[in-house]
Amino acid sequence: MSSYIMVPIHREGWPFIALFALGALLLGWLWAPLGWLGLVATLWCAYFFRNPDRVTPTRDGLVISPADGVVCLMGDAVPPAELGLGDAPRPRVCVFMSVFDVHINRIPLAGRVTKLAYHAGKFVNAALDKASEENERMAVALELEDGRSIGFVQIAGLVARRIKCDLVEGQSVRTGERFGLIRFGSRVDVYLPEGVQPKVALGQRCIAGETVLADLQSDEAVRLGEVR
């Protein structure tokens, strides 16, 4: 039962939690109400770096969300040139993470990492379409078992100032594996193989490692949704 109550904290978070806790102690020494505010901030920091386990669907062909958050953009777009995936538009799903979402990123589909490309850039609002071209980002290309490829991109946002990616080129990865995080609000884009339609709707909330973004074995048309 305790495993459901005590959610693990990502190792990247402990230095920040320690700094927040120290700040809370100093503020409390100056004035008790400030100390309580510092405690709230410390608890939020621990909450931000939570690293829960997820139950990932294991059926071949399922593309799983790499991030917690809301589908903020959908439609065809050209993958980042640095990935070498060609200049033809591909179906793209963009998942925006607020500062209240889990920020651990996960592999969307099993395959082999063929390219990693870091691009320094700006820190505009990650929910905007132009963020995919202008913002700081880490792009990953995967070769799938059937020879096709996908790309996914960690994009820094207005508040985010740190992208962490633990992958190396040539590495084989499994669907749902943790591979990195982005600190303090951001987004992850997934570029699907040509002809594969997303199975999520604009505005839908996704859970990293669990929500199915697309199915390589399905010929269903693009999925629509409405708020009810």
Side-chain angles (χ1 to χ4, degrees):
M1 181 63 69
S2 60
S3 62
Y4 292 93
I5 299 174
M6 301 298 294
V7 176
I9 302 297
H10 193 278
R11 62 181 181 277
E12 284 277 311
W14 288 114
F16 289 90
I17 295 170
L19 287 174
F20 272 70
L22 178 60
L25 289 173
L26 292 176
L27 290 172
W29 179 75
L30 292 173
W31 189 38
L34 289 178
W36 286 110
L37 290 176
L39 176 60
V40 171
T42 303
L43 293 174
W44 172 82
C45 187
Y47 177 76
F48 177 86
F49 284 104
R50 65 198 186 280
N51 185 16
D53 291 332
R54 296 287 165 78
V55 179
T56 299
T58 56
R59 199 256 284 166
D60 291 343
L62 295 181
V63 182
I64 308 302
S65 178
D68 281 28
V70 173
V71 177
C72 63
L73 292 168
M74 286 176 53
D76 291 349
V78 178
E82 58 264 28
L83 286 184
L85 295 178
D87 55 7
R90 291 170 172 243
R92 182 185 66 172
V93 180
C94 306
V95 180
F96 177 78
M97 297 176 283
S98 76
V99 294
F100 299 105
D101 289 311
V102 173
H103 276 60
I104 308 302
N105 298 146
R106 294 173 179 266
I107 299 293
L109 190 59
R112 183 176 64 87
V113 178
T114 57
K115 185 73 173 180
L116 293 171
Y118 172 78
H119 176 84
K122 301 178 181 178
F123 298 96
V124 301
N125 188 340
L128 301 177
D129 192 17
K130 65 180 181 179
S132 61
E133 296 182 358
E134 296 185 4
N135 279 25
E136 179 176 326
R137 62 183 183 266
M138 171 62 79
V140 183
L142 276 186
E143 181 181 63
L144 309 180
E145 294 180 356
D146 62 5
R148 287 185 285 182
S149 61
I150 67 169
F152 52 97
V153 187
Q154 297 171 289
I155 300 175
L158 188 65
V159 181
R161 288 296 185 273
R162 168 76 171 170
I163 296 175
K164 179 174 175 56
C165 179
D166 298 323
L167 300 174
V168 295
E169 291 185 7
Q171 177 181 352
S172 293
V173 293
R174 298 187 304 165
T175 308
E177 284 185 333
R178 300 168 175 87
F179 76 89
L181 60 83
I182 316 174
R183 284 209 297 259
F184 306 133
S186 42
R187 132 183 169 202
V188 180
D189 295 355
V190 179
Y191 293 86
L192 302 167
E194 295 180 33
V196 176
Q197 296 299 331
K199 297 297 177 284
V200 289
L202 195 64
Q204 180 177 336
R205 173 157 288 280
C206 297
I207 299 176
E210 294 189 356
T211 301
V212 175
L213 293 186
D215 184 353
L216 303 188
Q217 300 178 11
S218 172
D219 57 2
E220 180 186 346
V222 62
R223 186 170 293 182
L224 302 177
E226 61 182 36
V227 179
R228 293 179 178 172

